Amino acid sequence: VQEQRQITHIAVSDLLDTPEFRLVKASAKLVNDSHVLYALLNELRKPSHTFGTLVDGFPRSKIQVECLKFLHSRMMELHHEFRRTERAQLFGRPKFHIVMLYIEEAHSVERQLARGRRVQEHNEEVRRTGEGHLMEGRPTDFDVVAARTRYQLFREEAYDAIKTLRNHFHYHFISASGPVEQVKNRVLHEFQYQSGLELSDGAYASLAAVPLASEVGSHYRQRLISQLELYQEMVPDTLKRVADIVVKDFMPVIHMSVSAGLARVRCDQAIFREHPQAISIANCILSERGFETSVFHTVDHVPTHVGTDGGVRCEARPVYIMEVGYPKGRR
């Protein structure tokens, strides 16, 4: 999620990594709400989190849930207060997403104990070889009763309170059962770009006609084949002429640029001025053959008349430049 959204990450457990709080967590209890909130709010004030952050492990109690709602409410008040001032960028509209990675008790306990076994195996290897550093495990990862207590505390203190946030924020309930890679894919799928959830209603309505990048490329191969078949049916002569130009004029340039894997082809033949579909046909032909293409449009000013007074009259002629990418040749 960090990579996809380009945001920072705050692990609340790291903020509470002191001898005092370790004793509390070792007993499978929750750290006092005031300490959690103080540590988290101090961290959130850092400039590194300006563009958003993923807060891992918060909220975990009813009080923390209420504080989160209050924080969002206050941020919205400041947004409305300053949105039409020169300080508007400092008070953007807050966007909170709540994510519940849920797992049943039996699986949770097994994962905790498995984590403890990995720590023990690692430490035994370090002691045996003298290489590496010893890892400190959580006491709840080595005791099945403590692991169950930790899970039950989550169910009693946090689960129901967090569910109430569904009525206030965008809420994502994701099953954390199964292999890690499978859970990762569920999370990434859930957090794909969702402009309707993040933009204001007005901004979203203004942009609604613009397709998402993921939609532009969907079913590309099928649409490409259909387009070429349509050209063959409707303008077969033009398709043949463009294909001949690709072979005769484009391919020599492409072959000469094989060491770079990138060629720029100037499409200034008359057919590209006479037939609006010709450049699209050329693009389809090269794409179907596996080339990656980009098309740019420019205008040439060609002299057509020189007057007795030395004045020059020019004709504007549109010209397309096609950038063609393909695998580099081996040296």
Side-chain angles (χ1 to χ4, degrees):
V1 174
Q2 274 185 269
E3 294 175 1
Q4 193 176 74
R5 293 304 180 95
Q6 297 185 333
I7 57 178
T8 57
H9 173 232
I10 299 173
V12 173
S13 59
D14 291 343
L15 301 180
L16 305 174
D17 191 22
T18 66
E20 175 191 358
F21 295 141
R22 284 195 211 112
L23 288 175
V24 176
K25 292 186 283 185
S27 62
K29 295 179 181 178
L30 295 177
V31 176
N32 183 277
D33 292 320
S34 62
H35 293 305
V36 174
L37 290 164
Y38 182 81
L40 178 58
L41 291 174
N42 268 336
E43 177 66 26
L44 286 172
R45 293 172 58 207
K46 294 180 180 178
S48 57
H49 306 306
T50 297
F51 297 103
T53 188
L54 188 157
V55 181
D56 180 6
F58 181 89
R60 283 179 177 260
S61 71
K62 294 177 182 178
I63 292 177
Q64 292 176 23
V65 164
E66 292 304 315
C67 289
L68 182 66
K69 290 190 285 189
F70 178 79
L71 173 64
H72 182 269
S73 176
R74 183 63 183 134
M75 292 175 72
M76 282 298 293
E77 289 175 7
L78 292 170
H79 168 66
H80 289 301
E81 181 180 345
F82 290 99
R83 65 178 177 174
R84 300 191 186 281
T85 72
E86 66 278 3
R87 302 177 69 188
Q89 285 189 327
L90 300 176
F91 300 95
R93 185 170 70 95
K95 308 175 189 72
F96 286 14
H97 288 252
I98 308 301
V99 184
M100 172 74 79
L101 287 173
Y102 184 78
I103 190 170
E104 295 293 344
E105 180 177 349
H107 289 149
S108 174
V109 170
E110 174 53 35
R111 284 188 180 177
Q112 292 180 71
L113 298 178
R115 183 168 56 197
R117 288 194 294 271
R118 288 195 296 271
V119 170
Q120 288 177 327
E121 291 168 2
H122 170 82
N123 289 343
E124 288 172 3
E125 181 73 10
V126 171
R127 293 189 186 98
R128 186 178 63 81
T129 64
E131 297 291 331
H133 302 280
L134 294 174
M135 294 173 60
E136 184 176 351
R138 299 178 182 178
T140 52
D141 289 350
F142 306 102
D143 185 322
V144 66
V145 174
R148 284 194 182 125
T149 301
R150 185 168 183 261
Y151 182 87
Q152 290 163 4
L153 187 65
F154 160 74
R155 286 286 311 197
E156 295 168 3
E157 296 288 335
Y159 183 67
D160 289 335
I162 294 173
K163 283 203 301 183
T164 65
L165 294 173
R166 289 182 296 187
N167 302 322
H168 301 273
F169 307 115
H170 304 305
Y171 187 88
H172 309 265
F173 185 93
I174 303 172
S175 171
S177 300
V180 173
E181 192 64 26
Q182 193 176 83
V183 177
K184 173 187 172 183
N185 290 334
R186 288 184 200 135
V187 173
L188 293 177
H189 176 75
E190 187 72 17
F191 275 86
Q192 285 179 342
Y193 180 63
Q194 302 174 60
S195 55
L197 297 181
E198 300 185 351
L199 295 172
S200 66
D201 291 343
Y204 180 69
S206 298
L207 305 182
V210 181
L212 294 177
S214 58
E215 296 173 347
V216 172
S218 64
H219 306 297
Y220 174 71
R221 177 69 185 176
Q222 295 91 326
R223 290 188 286 109
L224 176 64
I225 296 301
S226 296
Q227 194 66 44
L228 283 169
E229 292 293 348
L230 182 64
Y231 289 140
Q232 176 60 37
E233 183 178 337
M234 303 298 293
V235 286
D237 293 340
T238 304
L239 176 62
K240 179 64 170 61
R241 286 177 61 192
V242 173
D244 290 343
I245 289 173
V246 169
V247 172
K248 177 175 175 291
D249 297 337
F250 289 17
M251 291 312 300
V253 178
I254 291 171
H255 284 304
M256 283 192 292
S257 305
V258 71
S259 63
L262 183 68
R264 291 175 65 88
V265 180
R266 183 179 172 86
C267 310
D268 54 2
Q269 293 84 352
I271 191 171
F272 294 111
R273 295 191 299 273
E274 298 166 359
H275 297 274
Q277 295 172 314
I279 192 65
S280 176
I281 292 174
N283 188 49
C284 287
I285 291 172
L286 287 168
S287 296
E288 199 283 328
R289 306 314 287 172
F291 294 93
E292 297 177 354
T293 58
S294 298
V295 179
F296 305 90
H297 180 264
T298 185
V299 176
D300 279 353
H301 296 278
V302 181
T304 58
H305 177 78
V306 178
T308 55
D309 58 354
V312 178
R313 189 162 49 223
C314 294
E315 175 187 331
R317 293 181 183 175
V319 176
Y320 293 100
I321 305 294
M322 185 172 287
E323 199 168 80
V324 184
Y326 47 100
K328 291 182 180 181
R330 293 184 179 181
R331 299 180 182 179

